[in-house]
Amino acid sequence: MYALFSRVSNGLTEMRKSFGNYVVKFGSAIVNDVTRDPTMIPDLIGFKKRMESLTVTAFGSSKDFANAIREAFEKFINKRHNKPAELIAKHVDAIMKSGKGITEAETEDVLDQCLSLFRFIHGKDVFEAFYKKDLAKRLLLGKSASVDSEKSMLMKLKVECGAAFTSKLENMFKDIETSKDIVAMFRQSPRLAQQLGPVEVYVNFLTSGMWPTYPPAPLTLPVELERCQNVYAEFYLSKHSGRRLTWQNQLGHCVLKGSFKKGTKELAVSLFQATILLLFNDSPVLTYKEILASTSMEINELERTLQSLACGKVRVLNKTPKGRDIAVTDSFEFNAAFDNPLYRIKVNSIQMKETAEEQKDTTEKVFADRQYQVDAAIVRIMKTRKKLSHTLLIAELFEQLKFPIKAPDLKKRIESLIDREYLERESGETAAYVYLA
């Protein structure tokens, strides 16, 4: 058919147009179908591969038809604002964490395919926000299957979007490396090691502003852990005076040794789980209220943690009365009869799935950052031009801003700058603005 249409005047142009329309129609059906969100990215990657293969086998590797695919993908993938960008970040996260049954070469190939979709996304800052949040979890919880793959992805993003896009992500890696050096210096001091006693502690020092922000997680640590925290804080502040440390309790994890009737076991637990378990060194039975008073944990966090210890697969505690739900009247007892064929056992936390509220919060942070970028762009343009009509200002903003935005939203930011006396309307003209020095 391609050969036949090539003989007709404008035949290939019409064929290219129909082919582009088909790609848009089929791709839009994938992107706009909410039920297909879990498989959207693999489906789009597979669809893109089929269309590219078609240009080779049916269209003689025509550049015009290859361009038609690119134009069509850019058109339909941005019909549903932000969601494809978020799902690409989630898909990359799943690849980075899997590692099993996949070689590094295969991982690179999948990352390249994700990047080929990423190129079509207009709201790249949405991808950055979700990717940054997932990368932080992988780095801090040791869930990354390959550091080389992580750094390779970072280089791909840097080449694609520039150094400014990846600067914070690169600083996250630098913080991890710097933390290794600080811990090594700490361990070289016999005096400090003696202060820690038999406890081995590793601390990651994160630069505020480079990492995602985490909500405060109140926790009263056991004396043993609080002492370790204080020793490390004193050491760090002696080397870096004037800095302020804020401990992120929800990111901590520990390995505890437990003595049971059938032998000693190592329990890999979160800091919240460790805090509760250490209370049973002093008392074999504790009530819900006693645990709450001793740990000062937030209610929902406390209930999830108790559920993981007393109602999950690894039941280190016994709950009275028995049941899956935690109640204020419950009491908990150390399960001395606990047994497991493994020496080291991972006690899984009951993770809350990323809720719609959390996703909305991440998206809102992106929109807040965009407002600052819009304001800066308006001031930058007006500072250069001094006076500009509304139409020309909007046109220049559309040219400079790298994310999708509507004219009414730009008008709101202009009004905001007028209220804050960065700009004023030209006397006698409502459709022109003057920069105020």
Side-chain angles (χ1 to χ4, degrees), residues 12-284:
L12 289 182
T13 303
E14 290 300 317
M15 191 177 187
R16 178 184 179 277
K17 186 178 177 183
S18 296
F19 177 63
N21 290 339
Y22 165 75
V23 175
V24 170
K25 184 179 178 181
F26 194 94
S28 298
I30 297 173
V31 170
N32 294 328
D33 187 351
V34 178
T35 61
R36 294 181 72 169
D37 280 0
T39 61
M40 181 196 291
I41 304 308
D43 288 350
L44 288 177
I45 288 172
F47 177 53
K48 186 169 181 287
K49 276 185 174 179
R50 291 197 302 275
M51 293 301 99
E52 287 172 345
S53 175
L54 196 62
T55 60
V56 175
T57 56
F59 304 134
S61 300
S62 167
K63 288 185 179 178
D64 289 336
F65 279 80
N67 287 334
I69 293 174
R70 284 193 285 272
E71 289 166 10
F73 263 77
E74 187 170 357
K75 186 175 182 180
F76 75 70
I77 208 167
N78 290 295
K79 281 186 174 180
R80 193 173 165 202
H81 290 313
N82 305 325
K83 197 63 183 179
E86 176 193 332
L87 292 176
I88 292 172
K90 296 292 177 194
H91 188 63
V92 172
D93 180 54
I95 294 163
M96 291 299 195
K97 286 195 294 193
S98 60
K100 292 179 182 177
I102 183 169
T103 65
E104 286 208 12
E106 288 171 329
T107 301
E108 286 294 305
D109 182 50
V110 178
L111 293 179
D112 285 336
Q113 291 166 13
C114 289
L115 208 64
S116 71
L117 293 182
F118 170 73
R119 291 189 183 104
F120 303 125
I121 298 291
H122 289 163
K124 289 182 169 59
D125 50 349
V126 175
F127 169 87
E128 183 195 8
F130 283 97
Y131 183 82
K132 180 180 176 183
K133 190 170 72 169
D134 293 332
L135 174 63
K137 286 181 182 176
R138 294 197 299 273
L139 291 177
L140 296 175
L141 302 178
K143 289 188 175 180
S144 185
S146 168
V147 176
D148 290 339
S149 294
E150 293 283 7
K151 291 186 176 178
S152 171
M153 184 62 182
L154 204 60
M155 285 306 298
K156 293 177 196 292
L157 290 171
K158 191 172 186 178
V159 170
E160 191 67 33
C161 304
F165 186 85
T166 57
S167 61
K168 288 185 178 180
L169 303 176
E170 288 176 309
N171 278 318
M172 288 164 69
F173 280 95
K174 284 179 185 174
D175 281 349
I176 296 296
E177 294 301 318
T178 304
S179 297
K180 289 179 183 175
D181 296 336
I182 294 170
V183 171
M185 285 171 59
F186 181 93
R187 288 176 177 172
Q188 286 171 0
S189 168
R191 180 182 63 84
L192 293 170
Q194 189 178 7
Q195 285 182 310
L196 284 185
V199 183
E200 189 176 323
V201 181
Y202 189 96
V203 180
N204 281 309
F205 295 91
L206 316 179
T207 307
S208 178
M210 299 299 165
W211 294 73
T213 52
Y214 299 98
L219 181 67
T220 302
L221 289 173
V223 176
E224 306 94 319
L225 295 180
E226 189 176 16
R227 183 182 70 249
C228 297
Q229 206 177 69
N230 292 337
V231 171
Y232 252 101
E234 186 182 336
F235 168 75
Y236 181 81
L237 295 173
S238 69
K239 303 287 182 184
H240 304 88
S241 59
R243 294 189 182 178
R244 186 169 64 89
L245 287 178
T246 304
W247 296 92
Q248 300 292 345
N249 297 318
Q250 66 271 51
L251 299 175
H253 48 97
C254 315
V255 175
L256 300 180
K257 276 193 177 178
S259 297
F260 301 94
K261 286 180 180 178
K262 294 190 178 181
T264 302
K265 301 287 183 184
E266 285 189 354
L267 304 173
V269 293
S270 70
L271 183 58
F272 292 128
Q273 290 171 327
T275 300
I276 290 174
L277 288 175
L278 287 171
L279 296 176
F280 289 88
N281 282 337
D282 300 321
S283 175

